[in-house]
Amino acid sequence: METVKGTNPLEGIRWQKEEYKVAEQDKGMLTQADFFALLTKELSNQDPTKPVDNNEMISQMTAFSTTDGVQKLNDQFNNFATSMTSSQALQASSLVGRSVLVEDNVFGMSEGEAVKGKLVSDKAASNVNIYVENIAGEVIQTVPVGSVAAGGFTFTWDGQTAKGEPAAEGAYRFRIVGLVEGEASEIEAQTYRKVDSVTLAGSGGNIVLNLNGGSSMALADVVEVSEGDT
């Protein structure tokens, strides 16, 4: 190998193929070990009349160290993200057969099935009524509640129509209306939905819960998990 002249510790280095090879697992990238091997070779073959400038050498070492540190940080973050996804998948699988609270007043049900919901109001309300409507918007049952304080309150519809008959299988919704500060207002209604299955690689890589009634939601959108079935 010829003697290299210059102030750049890596400038002008020529390697014979049999002397030095980059490991295949590094995909042709210069690793920290490669860098220091190159630096050692350069220092041992520098021109004695033009020694390497200390500041320049330190600057290059610092730059490489920073790049290497960023790469390691990226690798650690990817490992952490993989671990978090696995943890979420395990958590989601444990929800199958249980009920979760969702910020949606629409739900699907089997004939005569009882459905649990939640009334959410940031202010006190009076003359509150819960209306159960079918997909056509027809009111099939009215549940008078009366006055409620601010906060959240759970309720259960027994799946019966106003005629005392089991409601047919299908899609329904809760609509809650009351007087808030003397004005008629619609109050937020949430529903508890049973988790039928879990999709671990849904849209965008998110974990998706498949709910009864045919709808689905992201695990991150779950408001609350019920202790048992609705």
Side-chain angles (χ1 to χ4, degrees):
M1 187 169 92
E2 61 180 322
T3 301
V4 179
K5 297 181 180 181
T7 59
N8 189 329
L10 299 180
E11 182 181 4
I13 294 180
R14 297 183 179 88
W15 296 96
Q16 295 180 3
K17 185 176 181 181
E18 63 272 17
E19 282 189 79
Y20 186 81
K21 294 182 179 179
V22 176
E24 290 185 6
Q25 62 266 29
D26 295 326
K27 299 180 180 180
M29 297 179 63
L30 187 66
T31 66
Q32 190 175 55
D34 299 329
F35 174 79
F36 284 112
L38 289 169
L39 183 61
T40 301
K41 285 289 185 179
E42 174 59 23
L43 292 176
S44 64
N45 290 281
Q46 65 181 320
D47 185 350
T49 63
K50 296 180 180 179
V52 174
D53 180 74
N54 289 337
N55 291 333
E56 183 177 355
M57 182 176 68
I58 292 174
S59 175
Q60 292 194 27
M61 291 179 66
T62 301
F64 185 86
S65 178
T66 300
T67 302
D68 186 59
V70 171
Q71 181 60 46
K72 289 180 178 178
L73 181 62
N74 287 337
D75 292 341
Q76 291 174 353
F77 181 80
N78 289 334
N79 291 336
F80 174 74
T82 300
S83 176
M84 286 294 293
T85 300
S86 299
S87 177
Q88 286 185 327
L90 181 61
Q91 177 187 12
S93 64
S94 68
L95 295 178
V96 175
R98 301 186 67 181
S99 296
V100 295
L101 181 64
V102 300
E103 293 180 325
D104 190 357
N105 66 335
V106 179
F107 57 92
M109 56 165 284
S110 301
E111 183 175 341
E113 178 185 11
V115 180
K116 187 177 178 181
K118 190 170 186 177
L119 178 158
V120 181
S121 177
D122 57 357
K123 296 180 180 180
S126 60
N127 295 334
V128 176
N129 287 287
I130 300 173
Y131 298 101
V132 182
E133 299 179 346
N134 60 20
I135 195 170
E138 300 170 335
V139 177
I140 65 168
Q141 179 62 283
T142 301
V143 181
V145 177
S147 299
V148 297
F153 306 90
T154 58
F155 60 87
T156 301
W157 172 47
D158 60 7
Q160 303 291 310
T161 67
K163 297 179 181 179
E165 302 171 347
E169 179 177 352
Y172 296 87
R173 74 167 182 169
F174 290 128
R175 186 168 61 88
I176 306 176
V177 178
L179 295 178
V180 178
E181 296 182 341
E183 295 186 2
S185 303
E186 190 156 332
I187 300 171
E188 181 182 0
Q190 302 176 350
T191 55
Y192 287 87
R193 307 286 298 280
K194 184 178 179 181
V195 180
D196 288 338
S197 63
V198 175
T199 301
L200 301 182
S203 177
N206 294 323
I207 296 174
V208 175
L209 305 181
N210 302 310
L211 310 175
N212 66 323
S215 62
S216 60
M217 64 178 294
L219 175 62
D221 294 334
V222 172
V223 178
E224 178 185 308
V225 178
S226 176
E227 293 183 358
D229 295 342
T230 57

